[in-house]
Amino acid sequence: MTLISAPKIDTDLLWALALFFGMLMLVYFVTVFYFRNRISKTHHKVRQKKRELSPMISEFLFYDENGSKSEKMTYIDLKIQIREMIHYPFDRKVLTDVLMDLRKDVAGQSRKDLFRLYKDLELHKDAYKKLESWRWQVISKGILELTQMQVVEAYGHINRFINDRRPTIRKQAEMATVTLKAEGIQYFLDHTTYSISEWQQVKLIDELKSKESFHPPPFRLWLTSRNNDVVLFSLRLIKHYQQNDAIASIITLVQHKNDQIKKEAILCLKTFNAVQAVPTLKRVFANAAEEIKMYLLDALSHLAAQEDLPFLQEIVENESSFRVKNKAVGAINTISPEVVMPSKDIETQPLGPNALRAGTERETSLTEKEGTPSESISVEHPQNHPGKETTIPNSDKVTDSGHVPSSGGDREVGAPVTLSDQELSFLPWVTSAETDEGAQPVDGNKEIEEVLFTLDFLPIVTSEEKEEEPWETSQETKTTPVAIKLHAIHEMEVDHEIIHPELKTDSNAGESTPSSLNLNQMKVVYEELCGDFAPVPDEGDVFIEWAQVFSDTKRTEATENSEQDLEGPSLDFELNLGETGHFWMPKAHFYPDDIMENMMLLAQIEELGDQREIPFLKEMGQNNASPVIQGRIADIISKFTREGGSASFFKAMEFEPIDSVFHEILAKSDVECKLMLLQEMAQVGDQKEVPLLKTLVNDGNPRIKKMAQAALETVLTRLAPEPNTQVAGSTRPKDPSDGNTLFDQLASSMFQNYADNHE
Amino acid sequence: MLKNQLLLADDDELLAALLKFRFIKEGYTVHQCKDGKEVKEYLTTHEPDIIVSDIMMPYFSGIELIGHVRNDLGSKTPIIIISSAGNEENVLSAFDMGANDFISKPVSPAELMVRVARQICKT
């Protein structure tokens, strides 16, 4: 018989439960596995993409326009590649991440280039889209991205978030507004209605500090703001930027209801040494909180004078708070050192008659309160002024609290009163001529019995004959500093390489006088090197960097018939430096009037124009037979092409599809219309349609994609140049805007020449 | 003899790739290592003309690397340390261990090039 029996459980139910939990476990593990794999796959993909993008970005950042031809080709290839890549959102995201990461690690010009690249690739447009999101974290990320990548154009988009109700966005927007533009701080202080946290204020001040060439506005303008946090922040900024032109406003703010503002105002006044604030500081003391009292006393210790000592001593007497009382004592001692001496637990030794006779020290023991002898305060004569003892009979007696009681009080008539020299600071120091001989009684003043002066502290002033300054007095030596400097340069241990040994003249041609710089005696051009190599030059040589002037191609003699030599723009140098005859200074060429006019026009186009002038220039080139004009036009076209290809390459690419007449029609068409237009483009399209077709090749609709592919192939086949029309040896990259005109060939050959010259 | 063998040790792949590209462009032959262990292995068989190393790396820090180069290998190869933690302690300990130069992140590649060139010139 069993008293306790196990409950009967249906085994089927048990199996069902086991199966259920088993399935649940399986689902759980599968889910975990799936997401883990997905995350690691994405991570791997991102890493792979970053590795792919890294050299591209490096190439863009360190691209040298004067680099080799292969470098230029690589650069152009990479530009095309990266343009293809940024069509995909994933690639754009990774690219943005890479640029943001690199921004943290690089500085200087590379960082500026990074910002430029970010904008050129139009990644900031993604950040703009983020600003439109309804999710706060996305908006915040967008603002951060735009701020960190210094997209100044985003200022107007961001500052509307300054009063956003979501604090994260608001704070991000505040930071962005202050960061992006110098006037952002003013906009922020004018418009913000929310509170500004302490941490945010610190960050904003940090941001302002890091701004280069920032001219702070007068922050006193915001001391009248209705937002207390703005007032507080303005006070901090005033203090930080030492704007002491708002003392009156700050003094008023000491009476503000808000303790923090009060505190900050007191600190400002203390920083600016605003002694005129002392009466206000004393007035607000009575009703201030303990914390504020501490600040007030601290400020008073810096700003108050001797006449404010009674006020402080009254605080010592009446204040109940221990720390306020201590602070007041500290303030007294700051204003008048060692007025209050340590007295607690100090054993008083009876003074012997000898000690009294010495008369160098005296002590007036003041009892602070009756019945509390341990808290007595002693007023001590300063130790560092021995002998400055003054006894004034019939004068007011200093009471134990340091007050000078009014006449008719408990003053003992005729009793001598001793005062410290600190208390007589208002009296003028009147001494006889023999004061330096020792202590003398002051004549004519019967009340003052004895005045002792020690003048050890005075500086010894002696008349000394002024030494002659040779550089100023002697005409002959006026140029000597130059000589010394030159000599010093020669003595520097720097290795040199002779850049133009052919320019070296005979070192015996004449001794160089250090006092005068004679250019005829310049002999050798040196460039500083940090290695071994060249011997140290003679002392007489002057080092001038002429490398740029004397490049071999430019150093040609001016000839008589050079005026007729109008084959192309050239600069002849004729630097005649006397007898040496090695140098050539530039000589002018004069063009005929008609060429001159055209050249002036071209100069203006070059200065003011851009790649949009190319068609006009081409037309002008075709209509003008002069090789000078044509050469000039080719140069300008080449320049505009380069500029268009480097700085605004990506923007230029964006405009290209707009050139196509189909672009706008396609944008407003449905699928069927698009297909028809594509057929049309295949038949009549030219190079203008190529970028548009390339875009359509990536279209989401497979039919459009297929048709665009076919149209692109047709157009490209039609545009392919015939072998006999191609300029021989031309390595210029194929530009979609290239035509087959004579001018294009000319421009192409000019480009080739340019590239060869710069290789 | 041209001194252009450079060892670049940095675990930050992006920055390392960027600096490597720039060094190559300046004419250096660059060997890149991504952690302290790789650096040590490389140094057993090679002697670069200059080492540019990050201070924070897996396995061995830049400071330990300086100790290894100066004490274990007895080499006087110039070492330039790059670090994001440019505090006084790091700088002093790097110089104590025998680093020749120290540059804080963010790094100006142009500045780093000058510093490297200067160190190589000194040797």
Side-chain angles (χ1 to χ4, degrees):
Chain A
M1 179 183 163
T2 53
L3 293 173
I4 301 167
S5 60
K8 284 181 183 176
I9 301 170
D10 187 7
T11 48
D12 288 345
L13 180 67
L14 278 176
W15 278 113
L17 278 172
L19 202 65
F20 171 73
F21 281 111
M23 289 294 285
L24 207 63
M25 194 176 69
L26 199 68
V27 168
Y28 173 76
F29 280 112
V30 167
T31 313
V32 167
F33 186 75
Y34 170 74
F35 280 107
R36 185 182 164 278
N37 269 7
R38 198 176 153 182
I39 289 165
S40 60
K41 202 175 168 184
T42 313
H43 183 70
H44 180 74
K45 216 171 146 186
V46 168
R47 207 169 162 184
Q48 193 63 34
K49 188 59 75 180
K50 279 186 178 178
R51 276 187 192 153
E52 211 175 297
L53 286 167
S54 178
M56 288 186 184
I57 292 165
S58 304
E59 186 75 51
F60 283 119
L61 289 186
F62 302 126
Y63 173 66
D64 181 13
E65 284 188 4
N66 300 322
S68 65
K69 199 189 288 177
S70 65
E71 198 179 322
K72 281 178 184 168
M73 292 301 291
T74 315
Y75 178 68
I76 291 163
D77 281 349
L78 285 174
K79 274 199 294 194
I80 294 164
Q81 276 183 44
I82 213 162
R83 262 199 68 244
E84 291 295 321
M85 286 177 83
I86 57 175
H87 286 126
Y88 304 101
F90 174 75
D91 290 352
R92 289 178 74 85
K93 191 179 171 302
V94 176
L95 190 58
T96 307
D97 288 347
V98 169
L99 293 180
M100 296 274 284
D101 279 352
L102 279 176
R103 186 203 64 87
K104 283 184 279 182
D105 292 333
V106 297
Q109 187 56 41
S110 303
R111 181 184 265 201
K112 286 178 188 166
D113 290 341
L114 209 65
F115 295 155
R116 184 182 52 76
L117 184 65
Y118 177 80
K119 279 195 254 186
D120 279 351
L121 294 173
E122 297 184 344
L123 298 173
H124 61 292
K125 287 185 177 172
D126 292 348
Y128 284 150
K129 280 180 194 161
K130 285 179 189 168
L131 298 185
E132 306 300 325
S133 172
W134 58 270
R135 288 182 294 173
W136 65 266
Q137 65 272 30
V138 177
I139 299 173
S140 182
K141 211 174 169 184
I143 296 172
L144 181 71
E145 199 178 305
L146 290 166
T147 312
Q148 291 194 336
M149 299 313 283
Q150 298 280 315
V151 185
V152 181
E153 297 79 19
Y155 176 79
H157 296 265
I158 293 172
N159 61 18
R160 65 192 161 99
F161 290 105
I162 273 184
N163 286 323
D164 197 283
R165 60 187 169 79
R166 293 160 289 187
T168 313
I169 294 175
R170 193 171 62 236
K171 284 173 185 172
Q172 205 73 262
E174 287 168 2
M175 190 56 77
T177 306
V178 171
T179 309
L180 289 176
K181 277 194 177 178
E183 61 266 31
I185 181 71
Q186 297 163 49
Y187 182 90
F188 166 61
L189 292 172
D190 275 338
H191 290 84
T192 188
T193 52
Y194 283 86
S195 68
I196 316 164
S197 68
E198 293 280 317
W199 177 241
Q200 183 72 356
Q201 289 184 28
V202 170
K203 283 206 295 182
L204 288 169
I205 291 177
D206 263 358
E207 186 52 48
L208 290 174
K209 270 198 279 187
S210 67
K211 275 180 107 68
E212 286 171 13
S213 63
F214 171 68
H215 298 292
F219 291 109
R220 63 185 154 75
L221 300 176
W222 290 279
L223 291 179
T224 52
S225 173
R226 310 293 290 173
N227 184 343
N228 277 351
D229 285 294
V230 170
V231 177
L232 186 64
F233 188 42
S234 300
L235 280 169
R236 284 176 179 155
L237 288 166
I238 284 170
K239 193 172 71 180
H240 179 76
Y241 287 105
Q242 301 274 319
Q243 295 179 343
N244 57 359
D245 54 349
I247 299 289
S249 302
I250 300 170
I251 290 172
T252 312
L253 287 172
V254 173
Q255 301 168 58
H256 202 278
K257 281 180 184 172
N258 185 312
D259 275 356
Q260 263 203 314
I261 292 176
K262 208 180 272 183
K263 198 164 78 182
E264 208 56 50
I266 295 164
L267 287 174
C268 268
L269 293 170
K270 182 186 157 192
T271 308
F272 298 144
N273 274 322
V275 288
Q276 63 268 46
V278 172
T280 312
L281 295 178
K282 281 155 72 175
R283 197 164 56 244
V284 297
F285 186 87
N287 297 323
E290 192 177 315
E291 189 67 28
I292 300 300
K293 280 181 178 175
M294 297 295 283
Y295 279 93
L296 284 167
L297 287 170
D298 188 49
L300 282 171
S301 68
H302 283 82
L303 306 175
Q306 299 284 337
E307 59 265 26
D308 302 308
L309 283 177
F311 170 77
L312 293 169
Q313 279 161 350
E314 197 177 309
I315 294 167
V316 174
E317 273 180 39
N318 301 328
E319 185 59 44
S320 56
S321 164
F322 173 77
R323 62 183 190 142
V324 173
K325 195 183 284 185
N326 273 354
K327 190 77 185 170
V329 172
I332 293 169
N333 272 347
T334 310
I335 296 163
S336 185
E338 297 196 341
V339 166
V340 184
M341 292 296 287
S343 57
K344 186 170 169 32
D345 297 336
I346 302 290
E347 287 181 7
T348 50
Q349 300 293 334
L351 293 173
N354 292 336
L356 285 171
R357 214 175 295 129
T360 54
E361 283 186 8
R362 70 191 166 84
E363 188 180 54
T364 306
S365 183
L366 303 169
T367 308
E368 191 184 351
K369 283 183 181 177
E370 273 189 13
T372 56
S374 63
E375 292 183 10
S376 64
I377 294 170
S378 307
V379 178
E380 180 74 14
H381 189 283
Q383 295 291 325
N384 53 351
H385 295 87
K388 287 168 81 173
E389 190 177 52
T390 308
T391 308
I392 306 174
N394 298 327
S395 66
D396 293 341
K397 185 180 180 178
V398 179
T399 64
D400 56 356
S401 64
H403 282 290
V404 181
S406 56
S407 58
D410 50 44
R411 187 177 67 175
E412 289 179 26
V413 178
V417 174
T418 54
L419 288 173
S420 71
D421 56 344
Q422 300 282 349
E423 290 156 356
L424 292 172
S425 58
F426 60 91
L427 288 173
W429 290 96
V430 182
T431 62
S432 65
E434 295 81 24
T435 45
D436 56 336
E437 290 173 14
Q440 295 289 331
V442 180
D443 293 336
N445 190 350
K446 301 289 181 190
E447 289 179 355
I448 300 174
E449 290 179 356
E450 187 184 21
V451 179
L452 300 172
F453 291 101
T454 307
L455 299 173
D456 293 344
F457 60 90
L458 286 174
I460 299 166
V461 181
T462 58
S463 62
E464 207 173 329
E465 280 188 19
K466 196 179 176 183
E467 287 182 11
E468 271 193 8
E469 291 185 10
W471 314 125
E472 293 176 4
T473 52
S474 166
Q475 178 66 29
E476 193 179 297
T477 54
K478 265 188 178 178
T479 52
T480 312
V482 178
I484 287 168
K485 280 177 188 171
L486 288 169
H487 187 68
I489 290 167
H490 289 302
E491 283 186 351
M492 282 169 69
E493 289 181 5
V494 182
D495 293 342
H496 297 83
E497 182 190 43
I498 301 172
I499 294 173
H500 296 289
E502 74 274 12
L503 300 177
K504 185 170 182 176
T505 58
D506 187 2
S507 58
N508 297 326
E511 282 182 18
S512 63
T513 311
S515 60
S516 63
L517 272 172
N518 186 353
L519 290 177
N520 287 333
Q521 291 165 4
M522 292 175 188
K523 293 190 250 343
V524 188
V525 180
Y526 292 100
E527 182 180 277
E528 188 181 331
L529 287 179
C530 48
D532 21 340
F533 334 3
V536 179
D538 295 335
E539 261 195 27
D541 298 331
V542 179
F543 309 154
I544 308 269
E545 180 58 75
W546 290 99
Q548 288 179 350
V549 177
F550 301 110
S551 68
D552 289 336
T553 53
K554 304 285 181 190
R555 190 160 42 84
T556 56
E557 281 189 308
T559 55
E560 285 297 314
N561 58 352
S562 60
E563 287 173 20
Q564 283 78 42
D565 184 17
L566 300 176
E567 283 300 309
S570 66
L571 262 178
D572 291 348
F573 287 89
E574 189 182 322
L575 271 179
N576 192 349
L577 292 184
E579 291 167 358
T580 55
H582 287 287
F583 311 116
W584 304 97
M585 287 298 285
K587 195 167 184 176
H589 286 308
F590 296 98
Y591 293 115
D593 284 348
D594 55 331
I595 295 178
M596 191 63 197
E597 278 175 15
N598 282 324
M599 290 297 273
M600 282 170 71
L601 176 65
L602 287 170
Q604 285 180 349
I605 290 172
E606 187 184 19
E607 190 185 338
L608 304 169
D610 56 23
Q611 56 199 359
R612 288 172 294 181
E613 317 301 337
I614 291 174
F616 171 73
L617 288 168
K618 282 181 180 180
E619 195 185 327
M620 194 175 168
Q622 282 166 352
N623 296 335
N624 209 315
S626 166
V628 183
I629 300 288
Q630 289 195 345
R632 183 88 175 99
I633 288 170
D635 275 350
I636 297 170
I637 289 174
S638 173
K639 184 191 165 190
F640 286 163
T641 314
R642 279 200 312 279
E643 282 176 357
S646 57
S648 342
F649 174 81
F650 300 102
K651 282 174 188 170
M653 294 307 283
E654 185 200 45
F655 296 141
E656 277 166 2
I658 298 168
D659 290 341
S660 169
V661 290
F662 294 98
H663 187 265
E664 279 189 15
I665 313 168
L666 268 169
K668 293 169 186 171
S669 308
D670 59 9
V671 178
E672 290 306 317
C673 280
K674 278 181 183 173
L675 290 170
M676 284 166 66
L677 283 166
L678 282 169
Q679 276 178 353
E680 195 69 22
M681 282 164 81
Q683 285 172 16
V684 299
D686 59 6
Q687 64 267 20
K688 286 177 187 169
E689 274 69 55
V690 173
L692 181 60
L693 286 169
K694 278 183 179 173
T695 317
L696 291 170
V697 164
N698 298 318
D699 197 280
N701 190 315
R703 288 171 68 196
I704 294 174
K705 199 174 176 179
K706 197 177 169 185
M707 186 66 88
Q709 185 68 45
L712 182 64
E713 279 171 15
T714 313
V715 172
L716 286 175
T717 314
R718 192 168 52 248
L719 289 174
E722 288 173 23
N724 58 352
T725 58
Q726 211 167 7
V727 179
S730 173
T731 52
R732 186 186 171 194
K734 198 71 193 157
D735 191 326
S737 62
D738 276 355
N740 291 321
T741 61
L742 175 69
F743 187 83
D744 289 327
Q745 287 179 20
L746 181 67
S748 179
S749 76
M750 288 306 292
F751 184 90
Q752 174 66 35
N753 288 341
Y754 175 84
D756 289 341
N757 285 338
H758 284 77
E759 197 173 10
Chain B
M1 198 183 87
L2 198 61
K3 292 183 172 181
N4 66 351
Q5 301 291 321
L6 187 142
L7 172 62
L8 178 64
D10 198 337
D11 58 327
D12 183 348
E13 283 184 34
L14 282 174
L15 181 65
L18 192 83
L19 294 178
K20 185 181 176 181
F21 182 89
R22 183 68 199 262
F23 279 125
I24 289 171
K25 209 170 176 184
E26 294 287 322
Y28 293 95
T29 307
V30 183
H31 181 84
Q32 190 183 335
C33 296
K34 63 176 186 292
D35 59 53
K37 206 193 264 182
E38 264 187 44
V39 175
K40 278 194 176 178
E41 278 170 18
Y42 179 79
L43 287 173
T44 52
T45 52
H46 297 80
E47 193 179 354
D49 296 314
I50 188 162
I51 300 170
V52 177
S53 171
D54 189 12
I55 212 161
M56 304 288 276
M57 283 191 298
Y59 301 112
F60 300 105
S61 72
I63 305 286
E64 286 170 310
L65 175 69
I66 302 167
H68 175 70
V69 173
R70 294 281 180 264
N71 305 327
D72 302 343
L73 302 177
S75 168
K76 289 183 177 175
T77 306
I79 302 173
I80 297 179
I81 289 291
I82 302 173
S83 174
S84 52
N87 58 38
E88 193 185 7
E89 195 187 339
N90 269 334
V91 177
L92 289 178
S93 54
F95 280 115
D96 275 351
M97 295 297 288
N100 297 72
D101 208 345
F102 191 100
I103 187 163
S104 292
K105 283 183 188 173
V107 180
S108 162
E111 187 188 338
L112 184 62
M113 294 305 122
V114 174
R115 284 175 189 261
V116 166
R118 188 169 285 183
Q119 288 302 327
I120 285 184
C121 284
K122 279 183 186 172
T123 58

